[in-house]
Structure formats: structure tokens, C-alpha cells
Amino acid sequence: SDIHWMQGISDRLDFKLDVATLGLISVLDAGLRFRVFGDESFSFGLYGGTKALLLLLATPGSSSFGGAIAVQPGGQFSFGSKSFQFTLEVTAPIVMAAGGVNTNSSDEGIVGLFPGVEPAIVTEFGISATRSLYIRVAGLYFSAGRVDGLTLVPIASLGASW
């Protein structure tokens, strides 16, 4: 399931809420987007918000679950028309706390601060004056408290905005 809600607070400031349940991982994004310049044909905006992740994985003989809370600054370029919008966005989640449990490992506990990056491509198709359908494809890369490599969480979602 997927919920995308954007509410205008003023001409330049919007509240944004995204909830995506992608089977094994659930992601909640909430924050404010400030349009620095532009209109619907081309604009640049800054984003500041929070991200919460919940992961559940069950395999034969083992199960894992965990979660994380992050703050995330970001930016986005959008261009298009009233009937079609294309957006390139990048956020940089900074995980403040994360924890997890694996029933078949001693690798448990809470890890501290670690950074990530989430580039995304969003296409929106207008279906009425105030409603649209969208497709979002993103990849959340983060270090998960490790220095030996990055973890990738691919995210693809379909949704609607109103």
C-alpha cells in the first residue's frame, strides 16, 4: 500500500507525507518542502523532514526485525505541465538511532549515528485539477553502522496524490 499526501501551507511551503509498505519494509516520510524558485513548468525546492523504517524478514530457521529513525535534508528539481510532472529528488537521511534483532545471530542491539542517501525519480500524471497518479523509483543507500560497505534498499511505489 502507498499513501502520498502533499498539502500546501502557502505559495512556497508544502507539507509532505509518504507512507509505503513494500512487503518486508515499511517507510514513513514526513516533512516540509520549500519552493526556492520556479513554477509548475520548472522549480527547485529544499526539503527537511524525518524518516522512519521498519523491517521484518523471516526465513527458515531465522527471523529478523528492526527499525530506524532519521532526519533528512534534501532537494528536488521538478518540471512539466499541469497534466505531467517529472521530479528528480535526493534526500540524505541521517539515522539517529537504529536497532534490530536476528533470532539466529548475536548481532543485536542499537547502533548510533550513520548517514545515507536516497536518490529518486518521480513521475506524476494529472487525472483531475487536484488529483494525480504517480510512480516513484528510489534507492536508499546507507552504511548501517558498518564501514565495510553500503546497504541498498530499492523502493518502487505507485500512488496517488490529492
Side-chain angles (χ1 to χ4, degrees):
S1 66
D2 200 353
I3 297 170
H4 173 75
W5 181 44
M6 185 80 69
Q7 178 67 49
I9 297 172
S10 72
D11 288 344
R12 301 182 90 173
L13 188 65
D14 300 313
F15 172 76
K16 178 182 170 188
L17 175 69
D18 287 306
V19 180
T21 301
L22 310 167
L24 305 176
I25 187 169
S26 296
V27 181
L28 175 117
D29 284 319
L32 297 174
R33 181 182 69 176
F34 177 73
R35 194 172 307 106
V36 177
F37 64 81
D39 55 22
E40 70 182 22
S41 62
F42 180 78
S43 68
F44 170 72
L46 295 174
Y47 178 78
T50 59
K51 178 183 285 293
L53 296 119
L54 178 64
L55 175 68
L56 177 61
L57 181 61
T59 59
S62 172
S63 62
S64 301
F65 62 91
I69 301 286
V71 295
Q72 60 179 1
Q76 68 179 39
F77 284 98
S78 294
F79 48 93
S81 64
K82 286 187 181 205
S83 60
F84 177 80
Q85 284 287 312
F86 182 79
T87 302
L88 298 172
E89 60 186 39
V90 175
T91 58
I94 303 166
V95 174
M96 307 307 282
V101 174
N102 183 328
T103 60
N104 203 23
S105 169
S106 62
D107 240 0
E108 301 174 2
I110 295 175
V111 296
L113 183 73
F114 58 89
V117 64
E118 183 179 358
I121 296 171
V122 183
T123 55
E124 287 191 57
F125 306 92
I127 56 175
S128 75
T130 59
R131 292 179 174 82
S132 61
L133 299 176
Y134 77 97
I135 301 167
R136 182 176 189 270
V137 178
L140 174 57
Y141 298 87
F142 59 94
S143 66
R146 301 178 349 210
V147 294
D148 61 342
L150 295 176
T151 301
L152 166 64
V153 178
I155 301 170
S157 56
L158 302 173
S161 61
W162 58 91

